Amino acid sequence: MLFLPFIISLVAAKSASSLSSASSTTDEFVTVKFAKQLGGYYFDSPVNFENGGPDGFSTDILLRLDLLQPEMWVMNGNAFFNCSHIASWWASETSLYSATETLPASVTTAPEYLADVCAADGVYYTHEDSQPSATISGIQNGDPYTIPYINVLNASGVWETGNLYLNTTQDEVIIFDNFTFVNVNSTYLPVGGFGVAGNPRGSGFLNLLRDQGYIKSPGYSLWFNNSTAELLPGIVDKKYYTGDLYGFDNVPHQGLRYPNGDPGNNIVGNLNIPSIQLDSIEVVNEYAQQSVTLTNGPLGVVFDSRTTYSFLPLNIIINLAIQTNAFFLLEADRWIVQCSKILQSNATLNFKFGDFKLKIPLSKFLNPAYYNDKILKYNGGAEACYLSFLPSSQNGVIALGLNILEEIYLAVDNEGGKIAIASAKKNMDEEEESMSTSQSSTNVTTSTSTTVDYIRKGSIPFATTSSRTSQVFLSYSEVSNTIDVSNIPARFTASVISGEFFNTDTTNGRTFFDSAASPATASSRAKNSANSISNPLKVGQSDTSTKLVTIFFTIALAAIALCAL
């Protein structure tokens, strides 16, 4: 059990109220660590729920870092099986029958067989006899509630109240008494949420720390380091970023997440989320010293920690496809490129937010290309990769996921509607992480105000405030679950036929910029050249011609496939 030390003895534990008694010369700052699980891509942190186990004892549940909603939510043990149980059930049942036998009704009608979703990291059980009453006005335990996601995600359940324990050091925990959260009984997500958006209806992690006087405002900053992420409630720490920290106003959001008249629209409309104006995206070939702008103007975007993909308007993705020689694989609803060409290029995607430019290697946006449990390869054996971008129409909102978030240091003032970003300091070792101005090698650190300061309503410390006025809104809408392929020119599409992957158009017109989905500006930084680029950058290939490539599938070893999922 992850929390066995404080289950045995709570003498070293601190309540949220006791944490506010820091001395006048130094402050204790809590860092909540999130980590990728074995073979995983997302960031989870353990929380202990008193009386939440099936036997009424405490239980540890991993919750996923969740920037787009403000509540803590768990998966109901009476509605979902643990994934480990499903796996063992399948192994047990299928061992009794050969691959050619028809499974009997006793198997196909079993709840394990019919389950669409399982809980990957723990479930919560309600014990009404030990459950304290909700202390939040207008909420009673058992009242229904839907988590107010602005995007395609969904989770609904009922309010619960209980005592939570959050591990912050090897020998200390924070106790949250009578914390009101959501026990979800309907979702397609496999892990609950650790919400840090603003304006919660329940207790809200950041709001409770603010109400107890431990932080000044329910904001946070966030830093990623390889397989871990650190959430810093209510503070900014300069040791986690390089260069300047650039501050902006949040972009206002507007739209209808649910059908017109649904009260959930008001809740979503009142959320405080990490939205920002993205001024441009450009793809740069460093070898040729050339760049192409993929966007036609500023966009309202939001950062999302529950997706490894980023969601952009389709015309931007098509413009990127032109430059990377990418094709849209119809069966997989993904864009594919030749991995080696991108990996060998010195190409970057540059994201411009006001005066801040974020440069990310294009290779960062590649994922292994699996289709029907097979590895997709080009003719000759070169591996294919998926580009980690999808149309925003599938998500309901333009969102920048972990493929971008992991490159920045993010600070958010939920109350004041402010956001700040900087380039993240990467590859810090444990000693550098824990020391800096700290007097402790644990998650709770004591720091001086020269490098660490509180986020206050309307103010993010150390941020250089931009004078730019937001020109856009973050628009959101109900979600289309499929891509409208009619909006993708045929020369960019491909299909699987008899086990092989073919481009479905024999035209060869991907040579000039006028083939872009929308006018994309081009500039050349090459010496002695004042002309605009007449050919795409071709960051994924060395020549300027476009050839049809026949791609075939090879069956992956099961172990390799499992490691990549």
Side-chain angles (χ1 to χ4, degrees):
M1 298 288 285
L2 291 172
F3 286 81
L4 188 59
F6 71 77
I7 293 173
I8 296 174
S9 175
L10 294 177
V11 68
K14 295 185 177 183
S15 68
S17 60
S18 71
L19 287 172
S20 62
S21 60
S23 70
S24 59
T25 56
T26 61
D27 293 308
E28 283 190 323
F29 300 115
V30 171
T31 299
V32 182
K33 285 195 175 182
F34 292 77
K36 291 182 180 179
Q37 303 309 301
L38 182 63
Y41 300 96
Y42 304 95
F43 294 88
D44 305 327
S45 186
V47 178
N48 182 270
F49 289 79
E50 186 177 87
N51 304 322
D55 51 7
F57 292 105
S58 64
T59 187
D60 304 331
I61 301 175
L62 292 177
L63 298 182
R64 187 146 293 167
L65 180 62
D66 212 341
L67 304 187
L68 293 190
Q69 61 86 23
E71 311 294 347
M72 277 198 184
W73 67 268
V74 295
M75 300 184 73
N76 188 338
N78 292 317
F80 303 99
F81 291 107
N82 278 303
C83 293
S84 58
H85 170 78
I86 294 288
S88 65
W89 181 88
W90 270 100
S92 174
E93 292 296 327
T94 56
S95 66
L96 303 176
Y97 307 95
S98 69
T100 58
E101 286 184 272
T102 300
L103 296 176
S106 60
V107 174
T108 59
T109 58
E112 288 88 348
Y113 184 91
L114 299 173
D116 293 325
V117 181
C118 62
D121 292 317
V123 294
Y124 177 88
Y125 291 90
T126 300
H127 299 279
E128 294 182 359
D129 56 340
S130 60
Q131 184 176 189
S133 299
T135 59
I136 297 175
S137 176
I139 289 181
Q140 291 185 353
N141 294 328
D143 287 348
Y145 191 73
T146 297
I147 301 297
Y149 283 111
I150 196 173
N151 60 359
V152 68
L153 302 186
N154 68 80
S156 59
V158 297
W159 290 111
E160 301 270 355
T161 302
N163 298 331
L164 277 58
Y165 303 87
L166 182 63
N167 194 19
T168 58
T169 70
Q170 294 178 353
D171 57 358
E172 291 183 296
V173 297
I174 303 176
I175 302 173
F176 293 99
D177 294 324
N178 299 332
F179 191 98
T180 299
F181 56 95
V182 182
N183 191 12
V184 163
N185 50 42
S186 177
T187 186
Y188 60 83
L189 299 172
V191 182
F194 193 114
V196 294
N199 203 16
R201 185 68 186 90
S203 292
F205 168 67
L206 296 173
N207 277 48
L208 189 57
L209 288 181
R210 186 273 317 272
D211 293 343
Q212 297 291 346
Y214 180 54
I215 58 178
K216 308 298 182 184
S217 179
Y220 63 90
S221 62
L222 183 62
W223 173 78
F224 295 88
N225 188 38
N226 300 323
S227 62
T228 62
E230 295 195 12
L231 176 71
L232 286 70
I235 62 169
V236 170
D237 192 334
K238 296 175 71 173
K239 73 180 179 186
Y240 290 110
Y241 64 88
T242 62
D244 291 333
L245 180 67
Y246 293 89
F248 306 92
D249 290 330
N250 284 134
V251 171
H253 55 281
Q254 62 180 14
L256 288 177
R257 171 63 176 85
Y258 306 104
N260 195 17
D262 191 306
N265 286 317
N266 290 332
I267 299 174
V268 172
N270 289 326
L271 288 177
N272 302 121
I273 53 178
S275 58
I276 192 172
Q277 179 173 307
L278 172 61
D279 292 298
S280 67
I281 306 172
E282 64 177 3
V283 59
V284 178
N285 185 332
E286 297 291 348
Y287 288 140
Q289 286 293 290
Q290 296 175 328
S291 68
V292 172
T293 300
L294 305 178
T295 50
N296 296 317
L299 302 167
V301 303
V302 67
F303 292 108
D304 183 2
S305 57
R306 291 197 74 134
T307 174
T308 58
Y309 277 65
S310 287
F311 294 85
L312 298 172
L314 180 59
N315 69 293
I316 296 176
I317 298 177
I318 293 177
N319 285 339
L320 178 61
I322 293 172
Q323 306 307 322
T324 58
N325 200 30
F327 291 93
F328 181 74
L329 184 60
L330 298 170
E331 288 84 354
D333 278 357
R334 295 290 187 275
W335 291 86
I336 63 168
V337 293
Q338 188 170 328
C339 308
S340 60
K341 295 296 185 181
I342 302 299
L343 293 170
Q344 293 167 9
S345 73
N346 193 26
T348 63
L349 281 182
N350 295 352
F351 299 82
K352 190 173 186 298
F353 306 87
D355 295 328
F356 175 64
K357 180 178 285 188
L358 178 66
K359 180 185 293 188
I360 304 176
L362 188 57
S363 58
K364 173 77 174 180
F365 301 95
L366 299 182
N367 286 332
Y370 287 92
Y371 178 72
N372 283 347
D373 296 325
K374 299 176 182 179
I375 299 175
L376 186 62
K377 289 191 175 183
Y378 282 79
N379 190 17
E383 290 191 7
C385 284
Y386 292 134
L387 279 176
S388 56
F389 292 99
L390 289 171
S392 52
S393 60
Q394 287 188 294
N395 190 48
V397 68
I398 303 174
L400 306 182
L402 288 171
N403 51 11
I404 296 172
L405 261 174
E406 290 184 29
E407 303 299 316
I408 66 171
Y409 180 75
L410 174 69
V412 177
D413 167 20
N414 279 324
E415 279 189 323
K418 305 288 184 182
I419 187 171
I421 53 178
S423 295
K425 185 178 291 186
K426 306 301 289 185
N427 301 317
M428 290 171 60
D429 58 32
E430 291 185 6
E431 182 178 1
E432 186 179 2
E433 268 188 65
S434 62
M435 290 183 62
S436 188
T437 56
S438 163
Q439 300 301 314
S440 171
S441 61
T442 59
N443 285 3
V444 176
T445 62
T446 305
S447 304
T448 66
S449 60
T450 59
T451 60
V452 182
D453 200 2
Y454 289 107
I455 296 170
R456 293 172 173 81
K457 182 179 180 180
S459 175
I460 296 178
F462 314 122
T464 301
T465 304
S466 173
S467 59
R468 182 196 65 185
T469 302
S470 294
Q471 307 169 32
V472 295
F473 287 88
L474 174 66
S475 298
Y476 59 93
S477 63
E478 293 185 70
V479 177
S480 170
N481 291 322
T482 59
I483 297 176
D484 187 353
V485 180
S486 65
N487 291 325
I488 301 175
R491 62 183 175 276
F492 297 111
T493 61
S495 185
V496 177
I497 302 174
S498 300
E500 295 187 342
F501 161 39
F502 295 93
N503 176 231
T504 57
D505 192 316
T506 58
T507 60
N508 189 359
R510 299 178 61 198
T511 305
F512 298 97
F513 279 118
D514 59 9
S515 66
S518 58
T521 60
S523 63
S524 174
R525 299 192 185 96
K527 292 182 179 180
N528 304 319
S529 175
N531 299 322
S532 61
I533 308 169
S534 60
N535 293 312
L537 300 183
K538 298 298 180 185
V539 296
Q541 59 186 50
S542 57
D543 59 19
T544 58
S545 64
T546 301
K547 301 177 181 178
L548 291 178
V549 182
T550 301
I551 302 176
F552 65 94
F553 287 115
T554 60
I555 299 177
L557 293 174
I560 297 176
L562 288 173
C563 289
L565 292 177

mmCIF file of all heavy atoms in Angstrom, residues 471-486:
data_model
loop_
_atom_site.group_PDB
_atom_site.id
_atom_site.type_symbol
_atom_site.label_atom_id
_atom_site.label_comp_id
_atom_site.label_asym_id
_atom_site.label_seq_id
_atom_site.Cartn_x
_atom_site.Cartn_y
_atom_site.Cartn_z
ATOM 1 N N GLN A 471 -7.214 39.030 -29.121
ATOM 2 C CA GLN A 471 -8.009 39.314 -30.300
ATOM 3 C C GLN A 471 -9.027 38.227 -30.595
ATOM 4 O O GLN A 471 -9.811 38.356 -31.534
ATOM 5 C CB GLN A 471 -7.074 39.458 -31.513
ATOM 6 C CG GLN A 471 -5.944 40.457 -31.324
ATOM 7 C CD GLN A 471 -4.912 40.357 -32.435
ATOM 8 O OE1 GLN A 471 -5.252 40.038 -33.570
ATOM 9 N NE2 GLN A 471 -3.668 40.623 -32.112
ATOM 10 N N VAL A 472 -9.005 37.168 -29.815
ATOM 11 C CA VAL A 472 -9.807 36.004 -30.162
ATOM 12 C C VAL A 472 -10.528 35.460 -28.928
ATOM 13 O O VAL A 472 -10.253 35.858 -27.800
ATOM 14 C CB VAL A 472 -8.923 34.889 -30.756
ATOM 15 C CG1 VAL A 472 -8.315 35.330 -32.084
ATOM 16 C CG2 VAL A 472 -7.831 34.481 -29.773
ATOM 17 N N PHE A 473 -11.448 34.545 -29.176
ATOM 18 C CA PHE A 473 -12.108 33.770 -28.140
ATOM 19 C C PHE A 473 -11.658 32.311 -28.266
ATOM 20 O O PHE A 473 -11.229 31.878 -29.339
ATOM 21 C CB PHE A 473 -13.630 33.838 -28.286
ATOM 22 C CG PHE A 473 -14.237 35.153 -27.896
ATOM 23 C CD1 PHE A 473 -14.358 36.177 -28.828
ATOM 24 C CD2 PHE A 473 -14.683 35.368 -26.604
ATOM 25 C CE1 PHE A 473 -14.916 37.391 -28.477
ATOM 26 C CE2 PHE A 473 -15.246 36.573 -26.234
ATOM 27 C CZ PHE A 473 -15.363 37.591 -27.170
ATOM 28 N N LEU A 474 -11.762 31.591 -27.179
ATOM 29 C CA LEU A 474 -11.637 30.139 -27.227
ATOM 30 C C LEU A 474 -13.037 29.597 -27.475
ATOM 31 O O LEU A 474 -13.898 29.657 -26.600
ATOM 32 C CB LEU A 474 -11.071 29.593 -25.913
ATOM 33 C CG LEU A 474 -11.023 28.074 -25.797
ATOM 34 C CD1 LEU A 474 -10.041 27.482 -26.791
ATOM 35 C CD2 LEU A 474 -10.673 27.643 -24.371
ATOM 36 N N SER A 475 -13.278 29.096 -28.670
ATOM 37 C CA SER A 475 -14.611 28.609 -29.023
ATOM 38 C C SER A 475 -14.693 27.108 -28.787
ATOM 39 O O SER A 475 -13.745 26.368 -29.070
ATOM 40 C CB SER A 475 -14.905 28.919 -30.501
ATOM 41 O OG SER A 475 -14.905 30.314 -30.724
ATOM 42 N N TYR A 476 -15.821 26.678 -28.281
ATOM 43 C CA TYR A 476 -16.032 25.251 -28.059
ATOM 44 C C TYR A 476 -17.440 24.883 -28.479
ATOM 45 O O TYR A 476 -18.321 25.744 -28.623
ATOM 46 C CB TYR A 476 -15.778 24.873 -26.600
ATOM 47 C CG TYR A 476 -16.638 25.596 -25.590
ATOM 48 C CD1 TYR A 476 -17.842 25.052 -25.140
ATOM 49 C CD2 TYR A 476 -16.257 26.829 -25.082
ATOM 50 C CE1 TYR A 476 -18.627 25.713 -24.214
ATOM 51 C CE2 TYR A 476 -17.027 27.504 -24.154
ATOM 52 C CZ TYR A 476 -18.218 26.943 -23.719
ATOM 53 O OH TYR A 476 -18.999 27.603 -22.805
ATOM 54 N N SER A 477 -17.672 23.610 -28.699
ATOM 55 C CA SER A 477 -18.956 23.170 -29.235
ATOM 56 C C SER A 477 -19.172 21.710 -28.917
ATOM 57 O O SER A 477 -18.288 21.019 -28.386
ATOM 58 C CB SER A 477 -18.997 23.379 -30.754
ATOM 59 O OG SER A 477 -18.013 22.571 -31.385
ATOM 60 N N GLU A 478 -20.377 21.223 -29.250
ATOM 61 C CA GLU A 478 -20.613 19.792 -29.192
ATOM 62 C C GLU A 478 -19.668 19.113 -30.175
ATOM 63 O O GLU A 478 -19.195 19.714 -31.135
ATOM 64 C CB GLU A 478 -22.071 19.475 -29.522
ATOM 65 C CG GLU A 478 -23.056 19.988 -28.474
ATOM 66 C CD GLU A 478 -24.479 19.548 -28.776
ATOM 67 O OE1 GLU A 478 -24.764 18.339 -28.633
ATOM 68 O OE2 GLU A 478 -25.288 20.408 -29.161
ATOM 69 N N VAL A 479 -19.445 17.836 -29.961
ATOM 70 C CA VAL A 479 -18.336 17.161 -30.630
ATOM 71 C C VAL A 479 -18.822 16.282 -31.766
ATOM 72 O O VAL A 479 -19.826 15.590 -31.657
ATOM 73 C CB VAL A 479 -17.555 16.306 -29.614
ATOM 74 C CG1 VAL A 479 -16.439 15.546 -30.299
ATOM 75 C CG2 VAL A 479 -16.990 17.203 -28.521
ATOM 76 N N SER A 480 -18.049 16.323 -32.870
ATOM 77 C CA SER A 480 -18.228 15.365 -33.953
ATOM 78 C C SER A 480 -17.259 14.226 -33.726
ATOM 79 O O SER A 480 -16.050 14.435 -33.620
ATOM 80 C CB SER A 480 -17.948 16.027 -35.314
ATOM 81 O OG SER A 480 -17.902 15.062 -36.335
ATOM 82 N N ASN A 481 -17.767 13.003 -33.642
ATOM 83 C CA ASN A 481 -16.921 11.853 -33.323
ATOM 84 C C ASN A 481 -16.128 11.337 -34.513
ATOM 85 O O ASN A 481 -15.276 10.469 -34.373
ATOM 86 C CB ASN A 481 -17.768 10.718 -32.741
ATOM 87 C CG ASN A 481 -18.313 11.060 -31.374
ATOM 88 O OD1 ASN A 481 -17.636 11.688 -30.566
ATOM 89 N ND2 ASN A 481 -19.545 10.655 -31.112
ATOM 90 N N THR A 482 -16.427 11.836 -35.703
ATOM 91 C CA THR A 482 -15.719 11.374 -36.887
ATOM 92 C C THR A 482 -15.160 12.555 -37.653
ATOM 93 O O THR A 482 -15.658 13.678 -37.558
ATOM 94 C CB THR A 482 -16.659 10.580 -37.819
ATOM 95 O OG1 THR A 482 -17.763 11.415 -38.204
ATOM 96 C CG2 THR A 482 -17.177 9.333 -37.127
ATOM 97 N N ILE A 483 -14.114 12.296 -38.409
ATOM 98 C CA ILE A 483 -13.528 13.310 -39.269
ATOM 99 C C ILE A 483 -14.289 13.339 -40.589
ATOM 100 O O ILE A 483 -14.543 12.297 -41.191
ATOM 101 C CB ILE A 483 -12.037 13.020 -39.520
ATOM 102 C CG1 ILE A 483 -11.258 13.078 -38.205
ATOM 103 C CG2 ILE A 483 -11.440 14.002 -40.512
ATOM 104 C CD1 ILE A 483 -9.805 12.707 -38.344
ATOM 105 N N ASP A 484 -14.672 14.526 -41.041
ATOM 106 C CA ASP A 484 -15.326 14.667 -42.329
ATOM 107 C C ASP A 484 -14.251 14.573 -43.411
ATOM 108 O O ASP A 484 -13.564 15.540 -43.729
ATOM 109 C CB ASP A 484 -16.057 16.005 -42.405
ATOM 110 C CG ASP A 484 -16.900 16.135 -43.684
ATOM 111 O OD1 ASP A 484 -16.799 15.236 -44.543
ATOM 112 O OD2 ASP A 484 -17.622 17.132 -43.819
ATOM 113 N N VAL A 485 -14.097 13.368 -43.970
ATOM 114 C CA VAL A 485 -13.024 13.118 -44.928
ATOM 115 C C VAL A 485 -13.200 13.955 -46.189
ATOM 116 O O VAL A 485 -12.234 14.234 -46.902
ATOM 117 C CB VAL A 485 -12.962 11.612 -45.270
ATOM 118 C CG1 VAL A 485 -11.854 11.313 -46.268
ATOM 119 C CG2 VAL A 485 -12.753 10.803 -44.004
ATOM 120 N N SER A 486 -14.431 14.393 -46.469
ATOM 121 C CA SER A 486 -14.651 15.205 -47.665
ATOM 122 C C SER A 486 -13.892 16.526 -47.600
ATOM 123 O O SER A 486 -13.672 17.167 -48.631
ATOM 124 C CB SER A 486 -16.153 15.472 -47.852
ATOM 125 O OG SER A 486 -16.659 16.277 -46.779
#
